[in-house]
Structures are given as C-alpha cells and as structure tokens.
C-alpha cells in the first residue's frame, strides 16, 4: 500500500468526490474556513503515509477498540489504515523480537518525523515496574520514543490526564504524558474512549498544515472540545424548562427529559459527543438515557459520584451533626454566662439612699 | 489543582466546612439572643389601636408616611433585590435540588430564563442601592466596613452564578466552582454579621412592637 493516499482510496472504491466531501465535512467540523477542506483533501491525497508509532502503556485497549471498530467501513477507518502504523501491539501481526525490531527501525528511519501516539498512563511507582514492555518500563520507553517524535498524541484520558489508573489512591503512581514530556508538541485527545473522528481530524490537520490544531488550556483541540456537552445537548431545552428525569425509569426519563438530577456531568464536560455522536452517528450516552460521566475531563473518576447532581454535595456532609451539637452547646453556655453576668451585676448593685446623697 | 478538582473540593469538604460553621453560628447566636431576656415592665399596660408585636412585624415592611418619597432607592431597590434574591435562590432548579439533597424538602422550579432575568434585575438593584449608599453623605457616614463587606458577599454569589450560566469570562467549571465558593463564604459570614437578619428580622420586630405596645405606642 505504498504511494499517495488517494490512489489507495480509489482502489478501495472511494471516489474523489466522496473524499472531497469528507474533507469538507472534517474541515467544517473543526471550524476551519471552507477553503481548508480543499487544502486538506489535496494534502492528504498526496501524502505518503506518515510513520506512526503507537505505544500502549497502562491502558485497557478501549481506545484502540474505539478507533478500530466503531467506524471500520468508513473513510475515517481507511485513512487510519493508510498511515504507516509501524508499531501497535494490538493490531500488528508481529510479536516479540520482530515487533521490537519494527519499533526500533521505525524510530531510527523516521527520526524527528514520526507521530507518536500514546494510550495509557505512565506508572512511576516502584521505578515504573507496574507496567513494562520487553523488559523496559513505560517511562523509559516514552522518553526514548519521544526523542525522535515530531509530535505526540495522547490518546484517551489515561495518556492525557492519568485517567482511571490515576484515580484515588493512585496505587501505581500513574501520570500523564504531559507530566513527563515537556519539550515536544503534545495534543491531548481525552475521552474514555475518545471519539474516532477527533483522532482522524487531528491527523488530517497534521497532514495538511504540518502542525497540530489549536488547543485549549488542557491541551485539547478546541474544534472538538470547545463547548460543553450540556450546551450542545438536544435535551437542553428540558433543562431550561425545569423538566428533569428523577429516576431512570420514570415518565420524565421516558419523555427524554434532562438527566441533570441523575448526575449528568454534561455541564462541566468539554467534548463533541453531542454533535458527532457515536457509532457512525447512531447515538450517544445521553441519547441512550444515561447521564454524561465527564470522561474527557481530568480526574473525572474522583469528581464525586456519577449519579449525584452537580449542584448537590459531592460527599455526605459529616460536620453538620457535630456543628449542631457544638453550636447549641455554645449558645446555651454563652446564655448561662450572660445570665451569670447579669446576676452578678444585680448583686453588686448598691442602692443609693438619701443619706448617701447628703454625705 | 485543576478546575474539576476545585469544583469537587467546593462540593465536598468546602461545603461540609461551610455548612458546619453556618449551623454552628446560627444555633449559637439564636440561643444567645433569645435567652438574653429583658427586665419585666412593671408599669400597667396601656392599650392603643395597632400596637402589638404582630402589627409591627407587618407595619415595618411598609415605608412610614412620606418616607417613600424621601428615600425611594432604599425602599424600592431594597424590595426588588430581596424579592429577586428569593426568586434566584429558591426558584432555580439546581438550587432546589441542593435543598432537597440536604433536607429532603423540594418544590417545583421556575424556568431558567425567568431566573436569569431575576438575577440581572437583582444585580442591577443591588448596584443602585450600593451607589445610593455611597452617594448620600448621611448613608456613607453611617456605613462601616461591615456594610460594604456584606454587600459584596451577597452580590458575588449572584454575579458568579449568573456568569456561570451565561458562560462569561471563565470556563463554566471554574465559574461554577467560584460560585459555590462564594456561597460558602456567604454561609460562613452570615451568622456573624448583620446578614443574620435573615433569622432575627421578624423576632426583633415582634420584640420591639410588643415592648412599645405595653406603653401604648404603635411602632
């Protein structure tokens, strides 16, 4: 499968027109000017399979599942196939020594040019012994691979922010890619798992413009993480009308009312689920009747229960009972002190008689 | 600490501490104030029409004759922002949900656009009242640090809440966290400042009304 991308696509039955339409959609999705679609199409069509190295660290392979499965018959999937994925443990046929050799060759041959994709967090505890590949710790592998990378893509919430492995009490000392690598451009694509089109969008941007898209303060592409789930949610009008589902099986739930009271984290979650949806636009969590978990936000796992509304306490209040007792006791104690003071003043009071005045 | 961690803190330990201090302070001060007592008035009680504790509770809610003209901002502005605060605090669905979670009591919410309008009107009225306090020499002379401070801690929750809903200035998560934090500051401050009138307003009116009714004076 060597040669320009468009040739491969044509061989697979994708017309130039379809490809242009796809690029235009991608460009508009990323809020780029209309001309960018054409530029993107031209750049991508002519591109010669950039080398991509995908290193899996402390992860569950959910990110890979998401990318490879959810859209395999689409153009996105093909573009993903078209990159020269030189090392991806789950997808590659090679194993053991051969796999390691492929990694080393790709790093050596494309030094300074390859795109490094990381999924999973990096454990720092016990000298990184919690996760090793071919006898080397994830930390060691990451530092080594990052040296020759043109840019790094942190795929999924674990690579972006530490994710579930970092959840309290973080037994492995898990950290994110950006906690370790400071001297390379890093784009975070958080989500558990992230949305496939976000991945291809970032890749297309990189191929077209040779740079990473504009990022927000958490290192996420603004085009996809610029707005909250809540603001783009089709159930938003119900929130504004004060119509809420109270349980997962009441009338409100059946009528598709807002899931805020059931703990939806949509208001504080920046992601594109509400617009791009999942599984080729079939549905997405809120549409299927479950509130947003906030999986594309740092430390979402420790942000209180998934089923507690945002405006309610994250934990049960512990001090209120004690405060009631102490407050009442303090009030009563001060009352007695005041009474005692008054009584003392009364006792100390010396009546003034006429005789006193004539002294 | 990132935005979400900050929000989780103010929803968790922060809220716990604030509610704790609030409950402690309120009970302490209520016990103390209502146990103070006064010496019994040994004079024979006089009677006058409209002189009683209950009368005073209602009468003090209305401006005395001629005062509305002399000090319209205090009365009209005061009324607007107090009613506005009630609408915003007790009418907004997420607030009701918090009360329900803490006490089990709940009631239907108002449409968020209406609450939004009420918030804007409340803030406008509060700014006007503040300007009036600053502008009138007598009011300014009578104002102490506490007056400016309590205005600020009351205003900030409305401002941050409205800005969070409108997505102004800061990301929603951070603004929501700041909103909750500002409410927590209000909770901590409330029992120990003049804001305690939330609890003592009607009690003190009743007390003054009754004491004066004994002397045959409707106040």
């Amino acid at each position: 499968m060597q040669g320009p991308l468009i040739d491969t696509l044509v061989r697979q039955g994708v017309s130039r027109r379809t490809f242009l339409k796809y690029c235009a959609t991608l460009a508009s999705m990323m809020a780029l000017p209309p001309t960018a679609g054409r530029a993107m199409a031209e750049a991508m069509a002519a591109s010669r399979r950039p080398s991509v190295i995908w290193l899996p660290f402390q992860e569950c392979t959910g990110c890979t599942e998401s990318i490879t499965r959810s859209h395999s018959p689409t153009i996105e999937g093909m573009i993903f196939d078209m990159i020269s994925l030189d090392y991806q443990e789950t997808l590659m046929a090679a194993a053991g020594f051969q796999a390691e050799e492929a990694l080393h060759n790709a790093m050596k041959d494309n030094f300074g040019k390859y795109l490094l994709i990381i999924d999973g967090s990096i454990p720092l505890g016990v000298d990184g012994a919690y996760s090793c590949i071919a006898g080397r710790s994830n930390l060691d592998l990451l530092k080594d691979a990052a040296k020759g990378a043109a840019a790094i893509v942190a795929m999924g919430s674990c690579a972006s922010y530490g994710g579930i492995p970092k959840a309290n009490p973080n037994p492995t000392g898990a950290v994110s890619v950006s906690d370790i690598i400071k001297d390379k451009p890093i784009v975070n694509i958080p989500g558990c798992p992230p949305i496939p089109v976000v991945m291809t969008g970032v890749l297309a941007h990189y191929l077209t413009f040779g740079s990473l898209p504009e990022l927000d303060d958490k290192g996420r592409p603004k085009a996809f993480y610029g707005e909250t789930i809540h603001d783009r949610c089709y159930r938003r009008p119900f929130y504004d009308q004060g119509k809420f589902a109270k349980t997962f099986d009441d009338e409100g739930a059946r009528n598709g009312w807002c899931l805020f009271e059931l703990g939806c984290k949509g208001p504080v979650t920046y992601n594109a689920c509400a617009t791009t949806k999942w599984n080729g636009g079939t549905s997405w969590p809120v549409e299927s009747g479950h509130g947003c978990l906030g999986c594309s936000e740092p430390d979402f796992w420790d942000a209180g229960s998934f089923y507690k509304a945002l405006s309610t306490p994250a934990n049960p209040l512990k001090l209120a009972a004690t405060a009631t007792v102490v407050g009442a006791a303090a009030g009563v104690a001060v009352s007695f002190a005041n009474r005692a003071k008054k009584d003392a003043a009364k006792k100390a009071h010396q009546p003034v008689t006429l005789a006193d005045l004539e002294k | 600490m990132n935005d979400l961690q900050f929000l989780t803190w103010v929803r968790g330990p922060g809220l716990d501490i604030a509610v704790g201090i609030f409950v402690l302070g309120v009970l302490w001060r209520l016990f103390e104030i209502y146990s103070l007592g006064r010496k019994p008035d040994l004079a024979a009680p006089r009677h006058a029409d409209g002189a009683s504790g209950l009368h005073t509770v209602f009468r003090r809610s209305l401006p005395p004759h001629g005062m509305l003209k002399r000090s319209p901002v205090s009365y009209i502005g005061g009324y607007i922002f107090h009613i506005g605060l009630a609408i915003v605090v007790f009418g907004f669905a997420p607030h009701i949900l918090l009360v329900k979670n803490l006490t089990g009591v709940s009631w239907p919410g108002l449409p968020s656009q209406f609450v939004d309008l009420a918030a804007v009107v409340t803030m406008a009225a509060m700014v006007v009242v503040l300007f009036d306090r600053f502008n009138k020499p007598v009011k300014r002379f009578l104002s102490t640090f506490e007056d400016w401070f309590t205005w600020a801690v009351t205003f900030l929750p409305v401002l941050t809440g409205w800005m969070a809903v409108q997505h102004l200035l800061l990301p929603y998560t951070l603004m929501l966290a700041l909103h909750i934090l500002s409410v927590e500051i209000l909770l901590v401050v409330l029992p120990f400042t003049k804001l305690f009138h939330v609890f003592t307003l009607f009690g003190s009116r009743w007390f003054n009304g009754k004491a004066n009714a004994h002397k045959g004076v409707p106040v």
Side-chain angles (χ1 to χ4, degrees):
Chain A
M1 282 208 299
Q2 293 298 331
L5 177 66
I6 191 72
D7 294 351
T8 324
L9 286 172
V10 167
R11 270 202 297 280
Q12 299 204 3
V14 178
S15 71
R16 189 174 171 278
R17 182 181 166 77
T18 312
F19 182 64
L20 268 169
K21 271 165 77 179
Y22 173 74
C23 289
T25 312
L26 208 56
S28 74
M29 202 174 268
M30 296 181 76
L32 295 166
T35 49
R38 193 170 185 87
M40 210 174 243
E42 281 165 10
M44 283 210 292
S47 74
R48 291 216 170 229
R49 308 181 73 214
S51 175
V52 173
I53 295 171
W54 182 315
L55 293 178
F57 293 152
Q58 263 191 157
E59 45 87 37
C60 68
T61 317
C63 296
T64 312
E65 293 280 359
S66 163
I67 297 293
T68 55
R69 274 196 194 171
S70 57
H71 55 80
S72 51
T74 68
I75 304 178
E76 284 157 25
M78 287 179 206
I79 289 174
F80 191 68
D81 286 343
M82 293 318 122
I83 57 174
S84 175
L85 195 50
D86 293 317
Y87 183 88
Q88 217 289 9
E89 285 173 6
T90 315
L91 304 178
M92 69 199 303
F97 174 73
Q98 281 180 324
E100 288 305 304
E101 199 183 10
L103 173 65
H104 295 144
N105 287 344
M107 278 168 56
K108 209 168 77 184
D109 297 345
N110 303 291
F111 193 85
K113 288 182 286 189
Y114 59 82
L115 198 63
L116 180 63
I117 300 179
I118 306 290
D119 74 319
S121 60
I122 300 100
L124 299 182
V126 202
D127 293 330
Y130 285 106
S131 179
C132 294
I133 299 165
R136 291 172 72 194
S137 72
N138 290 169
L139 179 67
D140 190 23
L141 279 165
L142 174 63
K143 281 184 174 169
D144 198 20
K147 272 182 210 156
I152 302 175
V153 177
M155 273 293 277
S157 292
C158 297
S160 298
Y161 308 127
I164 294 167
K166 196 192 163 207
N168 191 29
N170 190 2
T172 65
V175 295
S176 69
V177 173
S178 54
D179 284 333
I180 293 168
I181 306 298
K182 305 284 183 193
D183 57 347
K184 294 282 176 186
I186 298 173
V187 54
N188 289 331
I189 306 183
C192 194
I195 303 170
V197 74
V198 178
M199 172 72 209
T200 47
V202 171
L203 205 62
H205 193 285
Y206 181 72
L207 292 176
T208 312
F209 304 108
S211 65
L212 295 172
E214 198 189 347
L215 307 176
D216 69 3
D217 63 332
K218 292 188 177 70
R220 306 176 289 200
K222 274 187 181 169
F224 297 103
Y225 297 89
E227 282 178 290
T228 64
I229 298 287
H230 186 60
D231 288 343
R232 284 284 167 195
C233 185
Y234 75 103
R235 296 193 187 210
R236 178 60 186 266
F238 295 117
Y239 173 88
D240 290 330
Q241 291 164 25
K243 289 178 176 169
F244 299 98
K246 310 278 180 191
T247 72
F248 285 108
D249 193 32
D250 66 359
E251 199 199 341
R254 280 190 286 275
N255 289 334
W257 289 356
C258 177
L259 300 167
F260 181 85
E261 294 197 7
L262 291 169
C264 182
K265 300 294 179 289
V268 295
T269 306
Y270 291 80
N271 207 338
C273 303
T275 35
T276 62
K277 297 194 184 180
W278 283 83
N279 299 326
T282 309
S283 183
W284 61 293
V286 170
E287 194 172 339
S288 71
H290 193 287
C292 168
L293 303 182
C295 75
S296 59
E297 292 298 315
D299 303 291
F300 77 99
W301 204 262
D302 290 323
S305 165
F306 291 153
Y307 302 100
K308 269 189 188 160
L310 268 173
S311 66
T312 61
N315 306 307
L317 300 186
K318 292 183 199 124
L319 298 174
T322 318
T324 308
V325 176
V326 174
V332 170
V334 173
S335 302
F336 276 110
N338 288 339
R339 293 262 155 150
K341 209 169 158 189
K342 251 160 100 177
D343 289 344
K346 214 187 249 173
K347 270 183 197 145
H349 179 68
Q350 292 177 337
V352 180
T353 60
L354 276 176
D356 289 336
L357 292 171
E358 283 176 6
K359 264 180 202 168
Chain B
M1 187 185 266
N2 61 48
D3 295 357
L4 197 61
Q5 283 172 326
F6 180 31
L7 177 64
T8 308
W9 189 87
V10 293
R11 285 177 60 211
L15 187 72
D16 200 15
I17 294 165
V19 171
I21 294 174
F22 175 76
V23 170
L24 190 149
V26 167
L27 286 171
W28 171 338
R29 292 212 57 198
L30 283 179
F31 269 100
E32 185 177 355
I33 290 168
Y34 285 105
S35 69
L36 274 176
R38 288 289 184 271
K39 279 184 183 169
D41 192 340
L42 299 174
R46 295 180 176 189
H47 295 284
D49 284 342
S52 77
L54 191 62
H55 273 100
T56 303
V57 167
F58 287 103
R59 195 180 297 123
R60 289 266 168 104
S61 292
L62 299 168
H65 184 71
M67 283 305 286
L68 190 61
K69 255 188 182 169
R70 284 188 66 176
S71 192
V73 173
S74 303
Y75 285 103
I76 299 171
Y79 254 107
I80 291 175
F81 95 72
H82 275 93
I83 293 169
L85 277 179
I87 291 171
V88 173
V89 173
F90 299 114
F92 193 44
H95 297 164
I96 300 168
L97 200 58
L98 174 65
V99 176
K100 188 186 170 190
N101 189 279
L102 292 177
T103 65
V105 185
S106 83
W107 54 91
L110 293 166
S112 52
Q113 283 87 348
F114 179 73
V115 175
D116 195 68
L117 177 73
V120 173
V121 172
T122 303
M123 285 189 290
M126 285 190 79
V127 168
V128 171
V129 167
L130 180 76
F131 181 76
D132 193 55
R133 183 186 281 279
F134 190 74
N135 202 31
K136 295 251 168 71
V138 177
K139 272 193 177 179
R140 190 170 62 221
F141 175 73
L142 290 172
S143 299
T144 61
F145 169 76
E146 191 185 341
D147 294 301
W148 308 112
F149 179 65
T150 48
W151 181 92
V153 293
T154 312
F155 186 76
L156 280 176
V158 189
L159 179 70
T160 52
W162 179 74
M163 285 174 81
V165 170
Q166 294 292 333
H167 297 323
L168 298 174
L169 200 65
L170 295 170
Y172 179 79
T173 312
L174 183 56
M175 205 39 121
L176 179 65
L178 288 174
H179 170 62
I180 298 175
L181 184 70
S182 69
V183 176
E184 283 162 9
I185 292 169
L186 176 66
L187 282 176
V188 169
V189 164
L190 194 143
F192 308 104
T193 57
K194 69 172 193 175
L195 295 175
F196 201 59
H197 74 266
V198 174
F199 290 93
T200 53
L201 174 73
F202 294 116
S204 64
R205 280 184 186 177
W206 185 285
F207 182 87
N208 286 327
K210 195 163 181 284
N212 282 290
H214 194 85
K215 297 168 182 155
V217 184
V219 291

